Amino acid sequence: MKLVELVGPRGTVLEGGIRREVRLDLVEAEVGQYLLIHAGYAIQVLDEAEARETLDLIRQAYPYLGAGAGDG
């Protein structure tokens, strides 16, 4: 998910038209970076290629998510 807003230890991420608030306590992230999220916490910063590959794998594992997942 792409970090689109940063306010202290919290951020807003966007992916596939879905916005979520996440905690950033475990990573050092900047707006525009891609994050791996688990249980509401960003646990890893990804480059864009890693993010796209991860989203492709998720779509393959869960095809009911549709092609729109990851278009954000």
Side-chain angles (χ1 to χ4, degrees):
M1 300 187 92
K2 189 172 187 176
L3 184 61
V4 295
E5 184 178 3
L6 180 63
V7 179
R10 294 183 182 268
T12 302
V13 292
L14 177 65
E15 194 60 58
I18 298 171
R19 297 176 74 87
R20 298 219 184 261
E21 186 175 302
V22 297
R23 295 290 303 197
L24 301 169
D25 304 278
L26 305 176
V27 298
E28 292 184 24
E30 299 176 8
V31 170
Q33 290 183 309
Y34 291 87
L35 305 173
L36 184 59
I37 310 297
H38 178 68
Y41 283 83
I43 58 172
Q44 185 176 354
V45 177
L46 305 171
D47 64 33
E48 187 171 356
E50 290 173 312
R52 298 275 173 224
E53 182 179 354
T54 301
L55 287 168
D56 288 344
L57 291 171
I58 290 170
R59 284 188 203 109
Q60 289 173 23
Y62 302 98
Y64 59 85
L65 292 176
D71 292 340

